[in-house]
Amino acid sequence: MSHPHPELKPAPPLPEGGLRIVALGGLGEIGRNMTVFEYDGKLLVVDCGVLFPEENQPGVDVILPDFTSIRDRLDDIVAIVLTHGHEDHIGAVPYLLRERRDIPVVGSKLTLAFLDAKLKEHRIRPQAVRVREGERRSFGPFECEFVAVNHSIPDGLAVAIRTGAGLVLHTGDFKMDQFPLDERITDLRAFARLGEEGVDLFLTDSTNAEVPGFTTSERELNPAIEHVLRTAPRRVIVSSFASHIHRIQQVLDAAHENGRKVAFVGRSMVRNMGIARELGYLNVPPGLVVSLQELEKLPEDRIALVCTGSQGEPMAALSRMANRDHVIRIGKGDTVLLASSLIPGNENAIYRVINGLTRWGANVVHKGNAKVHVSGHASAGELVYCYNIVKPRNVMPVHGEWKHMRANADLAIRTGVDPDNVVIAEDGVVVDLIGGRARITGKVPAGYVYVDGMTVGGATEASLKDRLTLAEEGVVTVVAIVDANTGKLAEAPDFLARGFVHDETTFSSVVPVIEKTLATAAEEGVGDAHQLEQLIVRAVGNWAFRTYRRRPLIIPVIIDA
């Protein structure tokens, strides 16, 4: 099994007849999915998503894949193929189209509709190419065949890519629910047919590779959801992803059966459900969905609300309800149903919201205490089935953190794939398929690109480090008035501190340190203000750590007297 090495060098030029695969996101993380295929001088991009920030990335809205390695080759991109409409697969498309607007964007009906709504905010009209399962389309030297797969959003596609270097099958995000709500199952017959043809490289979803057995069918959630909507004494507030159409369909059906009316709350929820309803993916019984204003006139046991915020996002409706910062006031007897997963890294935020809602008297039903969520990803049993059906020559686990990819690689090997032909790569690692064998050959830059307000890439690791320092250690501004002739302090320095615990005497012991630093500088003939500032930062920083075991951000201001 070939593993990436930190000492990888930039990849050599791609030999003629070889296919190069580079993931710019989605490997070693859940999110930012983007894979670039190169053949015969042309590039095909599969997915282009965002990653949501964690607590150690304050002020960041979303994180994009790093386009550096393809930026001078934008004209070589023949298409962006989207496997499905989740944010972690389509969220970065606007940022790539900003750099070249006329790249064809390929996807299924629902995926393109969700993308279009997103692109309107960026004032971009995409060159959209709508495809459906069973279709074959060529983009430059890549012939793509689209295969139906079942996932937690309708209209998911796997893509088979044929080039002179061989056949690649990329599953996208998928599971093998045998009784899906929309009756559109993962097309294993197509997987088998491609297997017969000979799959040279199989890129498989690793998210649930550590989970034994099979992912539960969505239909098995019906009883628990129905139970809540039947027995809840007052209002029911359901929180879900704004793209989880199947789950919301189950909620609408259960509400309808039990005589409750439904209102959608939250901009993305209202928008996406409008799109899904228009395109026929969401079946809404007449008169069921009403506005929030109409809903509030009804008796409380006839009310159901569907809102965003199942991941504890601070600005989403549910968190605001938990914080008493929303028009909907949660109270005793309300039932809140969290119909979604716990995305790794969000656990604390979600538990905070659950506790907040419980405090106001709500009964919170979530996957920890009821069967109200199933994953959208194939478990180990399903992955093994796929390996046995497809019998791939080479395997590259995608979409997952390290532990998921390693578990997925082990499954492939257990089904008989040669361990030498199983490649675990990371973002930016270059994998070349040459003569039927996949090998790691180098790397390209693939750092985090932060979107911060209106700026893209403006926030850097260094500025985030400063933010964390400000949050955890505080900031101290030192104002020193220095006599230009002698280089000494003209008067005692002023200290302005924020977030650094202090009283009148806190800074008295640092004054001699500053005096000594300036005296030494004067002796050595250092008079440049910038250099003096750096010396003061170092001296005050060392003093703060020695005295208080703190490392505040230090801002020096030197004024010539």
Side-chain angles (χ1 to χ4, degrees):
M1 192 158 49
S2 49
H3 291 289
H5 306 289
E7 66 278 4
L8 283 173
K9 296 183 177 54
L14 179 62
E16 203 171 322
L19 173 70
R20 176 161 286 177
I21 301 101
V22 185
L24 295 180
L27 302 192
E29 62 200 358
I30 306 272
R32 275 207 324 162
N33 296 287
M34 178 174 181
T35 312
V36 180
F37 295 87
E38 177 180 354
Y39 181 78
D40 196 16
K42 297 294 181 191
L43 304 177
L44 177 76
V45 175
V46 174
D47 289 330
C48 188
V50 294
L51 177 67
F52 292 101
E54 293 194 22
E55 286 172 352
N56 61 349
Q57 292 154 333
V60 172
D61 300 325
V62 291
I63 303 166
L64 306 179
D66 188 344
F67 302 148
T68 309
S69 62
I70 57 171
R71 192 158 274 129
D72 55 356
R73 301 192 53 188
L74 293 171
D75 291 337
D76 295 337
I77 300 175
V78 292
I80 302 168
V81 171
L82 301 174
T83 57
H84 65 283
H86 277 146
E87 277 299 288
D88 61 332
H89 293 258
I90 68 170
V93 173
Y95 298 93
L96 188 53
L97 291 184
R98 274 186 192 180
E99 305 201 18
R100 184 189 142 203
R101 289 191 170 230
D102 63 346
I103 304 173
V105 183
V106 185
S108 60
K109 185 160 99 173
L110 184 69
T111 306
L112 290 176
F114 276 2
L115 178 70
D116 208 37
K118 174 178 291 307
L119 287 169
K120 277 199 177 85
E121 293 178 13
H122 290 259
R123 298 196 179 84
I124 295 174
R125 289 206 59 134
Q127 215 179 313
V129 179
R130 196 159 110 192
V131 294
R132 47 175 310 151
E133 55 264 32
E135 268 188 51
R136 287 190 183 201
R137 285 287 182 98
S138 286
F139 305 96
F142 303 93
E143 190 202 29
C144 297
E145 178 181 343
F146 300 95
V147 178
V149 292
N150 156 252
H151 182 42
S152 54
I153 185 173
D155 241 4
L157 295 170
V159 57
I161 303 166
R162 292 181 178 84
T163 65
L167 169 61
V168 177
L169 177 56
H170 187 320
T171 63
D173 285 10
F174 85 115
K175 58 177 171 174
M176 285 161 47
D177 191 338
Q178 299 303 305
F179 304 102
L181 295 165
D182 58 1
E183 295 174 355
R184 180 178 176 274
I185 59 174
T186 291
D187 188 353
L188 292 178
R189 294 172 67 186
F191 277 29
R193 178 171 51 74
L194 292 162
E196 291 291 323
E197 185 182 326
V199 171
D200 296 289
L201 179 61
F202 195 22
L203 279 70
T204 48
D205 174 359
S206 310
T207 316
N208 273 357
E210 289 185 298
V211 181
F214 286 67
T215 301
T216 314
S217 173
E218 300 263 349
R219 283 184 195 250
E220 292 192 25
L221 307 182
N222 275 338
I225 292 174
E226 206 273 331
H227 178 77
V228 167
L229 284 145
R230 189 177 70 246
T231 60
R234 287 185 60 198
R235 301 179 297 182
V236 176
I237 292 113
V238 181
S239 170
S240 164
F241 283 134
S243 57
H244 211 328
I245 293 165
H246 295 323
R247 195 67 40 79
I248 291 161
Q249 181 72 62
Q250 287 172 301
V251 171
L252 294 182
D253 294 345
H256 187 55
E257 271 165 42
N258 291 291
R260 289 179 188 261
K261 299 277 188 197
V262 178
F264 294 125
V265 182
R267 200 172 58 116
S268 56
M269 183 63 80
V270 171
R271 181 183 73 190
N272 285 2
M273 291 310 119
I275 293 169
R277 189 177 181 173
E278 235 166 83
L279 298 179
Y281 291 95
L282 188 69
N283 179 22
V284 182
L288 175 69
V289 172
V290 297
S291 72
L292 198 53
Q293 289 73 18
E294 288 174 71
L295 197 74
E296 286 177 341
K297 296 177 193 150
L298 295 170
E300 292 195 314
D301 60 353
R302 302 245 345 259
I303 288 179
L305 295 148
V306 176
C307 69
T308 50
S310 60
Q311 294 302 308
E313 308 92 323
M315 293 314 291
L318 200 65
S319 304
R320 291 177 45 209
M321 289 176 204
N323 293 338
R324 275 285 190 258
D325 169 32
H326 197 280
V327 293
I328 294 156
R329 315 288 282 178
I330 298 289
K332 200 165 167 42
D334 283 333
T335 303
V336 178
L337 174 63
L338 284 168
S340 65
S341 60
L342 276 170
I343 291 182
N346 294 353
E347 295 90 348
N348 290 351
I350 296 169
Y351 292 133
R352 229 186 342 264
V353 169
I354 291 174
N355 279 317
L357 295 165
T358 307
R359 184 182 162 207
W360 305 121
N363 170 28
V364 184
V365 180
H366 53 89
K367 66 176 262 190
N369 60 19
K371 206 166 190 178
V372 290
H373 172 72
V374 296
S375 172
H377 302 271
S379 298
E382 292 151 85
L383 292 170
V384 168
Y385 248 75
C386 287
Y387 288 130
N388 283 334
I389 289 171
V390 175
K391 294 229 173 300
R393 294 194 184 97
N394 299 269
V395 169
M396 178 173 161
V398 292
H399 202 282
E401 297 173 346
W402 259 100
K403 57 183 183 167
H404 307 123
M405 296 194 297
R406 168 70 58 79
N408 197 356
D410 290 343
L411 294 175
I413 292 164
R414 281 174 53 200
T415 62
V417 181
D418 181 342
D420 286 346
N421 293 354
V422 177
V423 181
I424 298 188
E426 278 180 292
D427 294 344
V429 168
V430 177
V431 176
D432 288 345
L433 181 68
I434 299 167
R437 302 199 67 172
R439 291 287 171 270
I440 288 174
T441 57
K443 69 173 177 191
V444 299
Y448 280 174
V449 175
Y450 299 109
V451 177
D452 184 338
M454 299 304 284
T455 68
V456 177
T460 58
E461 299 290 344
S463 65
L464 291 188
K465 209 169 145 201
D466 280 355
R467 285 179 192 177
L468 285 172
T469 304
L470 286 167
E472 291 167 7
E473 311 280 346
V475 56
V476 175
T477 304
V478 183
V479 183
I481 299 177
V482 178
D483 187 316
N485 302 323
T486 63
K488 289 184 177 164
L489 283 172
E491 54 185 79
D494 276 336
F495 299 94
L496 308 168
R498 285 282 178 279
F500 181 83
V501 178
H502 61 286
D503 57 27
E504 281 79 71
T505 61
T506 302
F507 297 107
S508 49
S509 64
V510 74
V511 177
V513 176
I514 294 172
E515 284 172 344
K516 190 176 162 203
T517 304
L518 291 171
T520 313
E523 277 169 33
E524 290 170 2
V526 176
D528 175 55
H530 180 68
Q531 280 173 302
L532 287 178
E533 285 175 356
Q534 293 309 308
L535 290 170
I536 286 180
V537 166
R538 196 166 304 125
V540 177
N542 289 340
W543 163 85
F545 188 70
R546 273 198 318 274
T547 319
Y548 295 106
R549 287 284 176 273
R550 280 282 165 269
R551 297 192 185 280
L553 193 69
I554 290 155
I555 302 173
V557 180
I558 291 182
I559 299 166
D560 286 341

